[in-house]
Amino acid sequence: MLTVTGARRVLVDPRTEQDGDVVVVDDGSHLETTLDASGCVVTPGLVNAHHHLLQTAFRTLPGTRGVPMADWLPTMAAAYARAGHDPELYGLAASAGAAEGLLSGVTTIADHHLNWPLDATTDDTVELAGATVDAVRGLGGRLVFVRGSARDDPERAAASADAIAGRLLHERAVGGVDPDGRLQVAVGPAGVHSDGEATFRALGEVAAQHGLRRRTQANEQVDTAIALERYGRRPLDLLEEWGWLAPDVTIAHLCDVTVDEVARLAAAGVSATHAPGCDVPMGWGIAPVAALADAGIPVGLGTSGGGSNDAGHLLADGRLALQVSALVGPQLPARQVLGMMTEGSAAGLGRPELGHLGAGSAGDLCVWDVSGVADAGVADPVAGLLWASPGRRPKHVVVGGRVVVRDHRLVTGDEREIAARLTERLARTPV
């Protein structure tokens, strides 16, 4: 049993004024644990709805910023090839990304994994996925592993996705989610700029067979340009024709969307993920979040990967979302953006137990110290979480009632050792 005491405010729903003084989380343990939250704000655990964990090992690479996607993709692919694809690298990159996430308040990560060795067998892909899963779960975080595809052979991609879902999920998994809620499996082609109809349909069949959610990326400006050049149609036209505008689908980016397309997305019941930390520095556009939300589309927030956003700090990207929102619509309120990175992201994953502290919650929470000089003079400590103190880290983080960060330090691993091991692996030529 975990008790959090002394908080200035406890948010049950970040979009409302609901608050309280004490949080009690029952994790099934007979041990009593108390966290001091004096001078702090307590929020639900943050949900990073769009990441590429492997890219954690490939940040600030020369030639990867502010360049056309046609140049960016081969630069990243060459870096992967030099390092080699093996379970060790995948596990170490995932450990670093998950540790970074937990230390910045992210309790659930959706890892859209797109890069697979060309000669990998189905068994190889299961082993690589398993290394990622073990790394995140070993640190106490929740993982949504999205078996993605980027120019993969459709049949091989489908066989791999089928095997990953069949072997890594517990036999009692429901909707692609293990009984303990720590692992979820989904499928997701990179986008129409990369994958054709055969891949979308093949992975869609795997999703239907296992009850998995589907995710993809669409309507960054480059995605629209490629779709028009290749097919003479816009990305959402293709996704609709290929059966990928539906309530079980979440689409990341959506920067270049028309008023009519927003209405189509809403009518289809699709969820969206905003990724300003990727799209803004790469010059790929800004999603009209206010228009999407006003249409009734659930909107989550994701960092994307280290190849386009060198940080995996979701709260910092929430601040960026606030800063750029007025360029494409009305200024977003801080509470709405906090709601995006909690309940909004959880909705896109089909996980109603995540992203809140009310009845039926999974017991994921963050305790944020707002008593320092960075928060001095802040009228609303909840809005201050995003506007004040860029790079803020939570004091405590709890996942499912288990304390994984205490007093700003990772409890479930050694932050410096994780970083050192990844550095050593990248310096070593794979066997």
Side-chain angles (χ1 to χ4, degrees), residues 89-165:
L89 176 61
Y90 279 45
L92 291 173
S95 289
E100 179 184 22
L102 290 170
L103 286 164
S104 57
V106 173
T107 54
T108 302
I109 292 176
D111 175 28
H112 196 173
H113 190 91
L114 300 172
N115 306 99
W116 304 92
L118 294 176
D119 59 350
T121 66
T122 294
D123 288 344
D124 291 337
T125 64
V126 173
E127 186 177 8
L128 292 168
T132 302
V133 170
D134 290 345
V136 178
R137 292 183 60 149
L139 290 173
R142 301 183 192 272
L143 177 68
V144 182
F145 187 84
V146 185
R147 201 303 180 184
S149 169
R151 301 181 179 86
D152 294 12
D153 175 80
E155 292 184 2
R156 289 178 53 148
S160 168
D162 178 67
I164 288 170

Side-chain angles (χ1 to χ4, degrees), residues 44-61:
L46 307 185
V47 181
N48 188 340
H50 188 65
H51 203 323
H52 304 291
L53 282 173
L54 181 61
Q55 292 181 15
T56 305
F58 303 97
R59 303 196 260 199
T60 71
L61 291 180

Side-chain angles (χ1 to χ4, degrees), residues 41-383:
V41 169
V42 179
T43 71
L46 307 185
V47 181
N48 188 340
H50 188 65
H51 203 323
H52 304 291
L53 282 173
L54 181 61
Q55 292 181 15
T56 305
F58 303 97
R59 303 196 260 199
T60 71
L61 291 180
T64 61
R65 289 297 170 275
V67 299
M69 186 176 282
D71 296 334
W72 180 81
L73 287 172
T75 300
M76 294 298 299
Y80 302 143
R82 286 193 300 271
H85 293 263
D86 57 54
E88 181 189 24
L89 176 61
Y90 279 45
L92 291 173
S95 289
E100 179 184 22
L102 290 170
L103 286 164
S104 57
V106 173
T107 54
T108 302
I109 292 176
D111 175 28
H112 196 173
H113 190 91
L114 300 172
N115 306 99
W116 304 92
L118 294 176
D119 59 350
T121 66
T122 294
D123 288 344
D124 291 337
T125 64
V126 173
E127 186 177 8
L128 292 168
T132 302
V133 170
D134 290 345
V136 178
R137 292 183 60 149
L139 290 173
R142 301 183 192 272
L143 177 68
V144 182
F145 187 84
V146 185
R147 201 303 180 184
S149 169
R151 301 181 179 86
D152 294 12
D153 175 80
E155 292 184 2
R156 289 178 53 148
S160 168
D162 178 67
I164 288 170
R167 299 186 206 174
L168 297 187
L169 287 173
H170 193 279
E171 61 182 11
R172 292 190 290 108
V174 177
V177 183
D178 266 355
D180 65 1
R182 297 301 178 95
L183 174 63
Q184 179 178 357
V185 173
V187 298
V192 302
H193 63 274
S194 174
D195 299 286
E197 180 177 0
T199 300
F200 276 87
R201 292 200 180 277
L203 288 178
E205 290 174 2
V206 175
Q209 178 184 347
H210 291 278
L212 311 179
R213 289 192 65 85
R214 298 179 288 166
R215 306 177 70 82
T216 191
Q217 305 172 120
N219 288 66
E220 290 168 301
Q221 292 167 352
V222 286
D223 182 64
T224 304
I226 292 172
L228 288 170
E229 179 182 354
R230 187 173 299 163
Y231 300 98
R233 303 172 68 188
R234 289 175 62 82
L236 295 184
D237 297 328
L238 297 167
L239 291 180
E240 184 171 39
E241 180 181 307
W242 298 348
W244 276 66
L245 289 190
D248 66 320
V249 174
T250 300
I251 302 177
H253 302 298
L254 293 174
C255 303
D256 178 31
V257 287
T258 67
V259 172
D260 289 342
E261 286 175 333
V262 171
R264 285 169 61 193
L265 291 167
V270 169
S271 300
T273 302
H274 186 31
C278 161
D279 292 324
V280 171
M282 297 301 290
W284 293 344
I286 304 170
V289 173
L292 294 169
D294 287 347
I297 298 170
V299 182
L301 192 74
T303 59
S304 199
S308 57
N309 178 359
D310 300 297
H313 196 300
L314 192 65
L315 196 71
D317 283 6
R319 187 176 192 267
L320 179 61
L322 289 172
Q323 291 174 313
V324 301
S325 61
L327 298 177
V328 292
Q331 172 70 58
L332 295 174
R335 289 178 188 278
Q336 181 177 346
V337 174
L338 186 59
M340 287 164 55
M341 65 181 76
T342 51
E343 285 193 309
S345 291
L349 299 174
R351 302 289 296 277
E353 78 278 18
L354 302 179
H356 67 98
L357 296 174
S361 77
D364 300 353
L365 60 87
C366 298
V367 178
W368 308 88
D369 189 344
V370 294
S371 63
V373 292
D375 292 285
V378 169
D380 179 357
V382 177

